[in-house]
Amino acid sequence: VSTQSTWGLSQALATSSDTMAPLQDFLSSIGFEEDSQLAGLLLVSLCVFALITLIVLAGRLFSKTVSHGKTVLILGNCDSGKTALFFQLYQGVFRETHTSAKENQETFAPVQLKSAQGASYTFIDFPGHGSQRARLSSHYGDARAVIFLLDSTSDASKLQTDAQFLFQLLSDPVLSRRKAKFLIVCNKSDDSKTQDSTHLKTQLETYIDKYRSLHGGMLDLQGESEKKVVVGKANLPFKFEHYSSPIRVSTASAKSDISNVVSFIESLH
């Protein structure tokens, strides 16, 4: 760039905005004349530096806002099939499991997606007992998705417990800010006593709507001081479609058919 063109640019900057006047006064006070080429070069350099700084800061802020986590939480109440699903994804086999107070955690690409690029996530199979739930929120900060399992052969009382747990998750501010995607899995679809997933979805929505009304749309968990987000739309019965992030409801059998779960995981990348 020639000094003549540089000086012309500095002149344009100086005359286009009154905000440059203090800078010009400062340059004059330290020995740079307003009509000197060196002053023009310095003005341009400072403007370019300020612009680059703003772009970098804006980029960092934007990346924090839209960054996606790498953790997939496998949640649900006891005996819903979480651990069986975890090992189906991890090893491709069905394993008989028992209730545990410790989570299973591994980073892997599901065996059903080994050929897919970018399909590796940290899967956390978290214990379903309510006594362990105080530790659960520590995993929310990097959550990409929540796979919530329920026993599709459950009676109404167990389904209400599932709905309460779901409401706690949907109203959590961290999961909401992260825009975590949800998959609700009606497990044990191979059982003769299984209920229709559409019916279960409607029942869950009804129970969540009741919890929302009881708690004014918010719920405080484990003594947390941060307010919970409002779940659904005001003055309307709760529907999963009203949530701020996508929620799918599908069927599966952790014993023999997890294709809907695999499809959901594949959609995350």
Side-chain angles (χ1 to χ4, degrees), residues 35 39 54 88 123-124 142 226 241 258:
D35 60 348
L54 286 173
Q88 280 280 22
F123 290 85
I124 300 177
D142 193 47
E226 190 171 8
E241 292 80 4
I258 61 168

Side-chain angles (χ1 to χ4, degrees), residues 119-243:
S120 180
Y121 298 99
T122 298
F123 290 85
I124 300 177
D125 158 34
F126 197 84
H129 199 280
S131 62
Q132 303 297 318
R133 210 156 290 167
R135 301 187 294 108
L136 178 56
S137 60
S138 65
H139 298 295
Y140 291 168
D142 193 47
R144 180 68 167 270
V146 174
I147 299 175
F148 187 93
L149 276 77
L150 58 89
D151 183 346
S152 61
T153 68
S154 295
D155 57 22
S157 62
K158 288 184 177 179
L159 198 60
Q160 289 186 55
T161 304
D162 291 326
Q164 184 178 25
F165 191 0
L166 261 175
F167 180 57
Q168 293 171 354
L169 296 169
L170 297 176
S171 62
D172 186 88
V174 178
L175 291 176
S176 177
R177 283 196 300 269
R178 295 213 54 82
K179 297 187 180 301
K181 295 182 179 180
F182 280 77
L183 173 67
I184 299 173
V185 180
C186 303
N187 191 28
K188 304 183 182 180
S189 61
D190 57 329
D191 194 297
S192 60
K193 297 179 181 179
T194 189
Q195 301 179 62
D196 179 72
S197 60
T198 302
H199 170 72
L200 292 172
K201 176 177 179 288
T202 301
Q203 290 295 101
L204 286 171
E205 289 174 332
T206 300
Y207 292 138
I208 289 174
D209 192 57
K210 289 181 179 180
Y211 285 119
R212 185 179 66 160
S213 299
L214 287 172
H215 297 278
M218 300 179 186
L219 185 66
D220 291 325
L221 298 178
Q222 312 299 339
E224 294 174 356
S225 59
E226 190 171 8
K227 280 188 175 182
K228 299 300 169 182
V229 299
V230 175
V231 177
K233 295 182 179 180
N235 303 318
L236 287 175
F238 174 77
K239 299 292 181 184
F240 287 121
E241 292 80 4
H242 298 166
Y243 190 62

Side-chain angles (χ1 to χ4, degrees), residues 20-136:
M20 299 302 293
L23 179 57
Q24 292 172 340
D25 293 340
F26 170 73
L27 292 173
S28 296
S29 70
I30 60 175
F32 292 105
E33 294 299 328
E34 186 174 339
D35 60 348
S36 71
Q37 294 180 346
L38 186 57
L41 286 170
L42 184 57
L43 283 171
V44 172
S45 299
L46 288 173
C47 289
V48 170
F49 175 77
L51 181 61
I52 292 174
T53 301
L54 286 173
I55 291 173
V56 171
L57 290 175
R60 288 181 178 178
L61 179 62
F62 180 76
S63 65
K64 288 181 179 180
T65 302
V66 300
S67 63
H68 298 295
K70 295 292 291 182
T71 298
V72 176
L73 298 172
I74 301 177
L75 306 178
N77 286 302
C78 293
D79 300 320
S80 58
K82 300 181 300 299
T83 303
L85 174 63
F86 176 87
F87 282 106
Q88 280 280 22
L89 294 169
Y90 185 32
Q91 300 175 340
V93 297
F94 173 71
R95 287 178 51 173
E96 294 290 347
T97 62
H98 59 274
T99 301
S100 174
K102 184 178 180 181
E103 55 264 46
N104 293 299
Q105 178 173 333
E106 296 288 346
T107 300
F108 60 89
V111 295
Q112 298 84 358
L113 296 173
K114 282 294 186 181
S115 61
Q117 294 183 352
S120 180
Y121 298 99
T122 298
F123 290 85
I124 300 177
D125 158 34
F126 197 84
H129 199 280
S131 62
Q132 303 297 318
R133 210 156 290 167
R135 301 187 294 108
L136 178 56

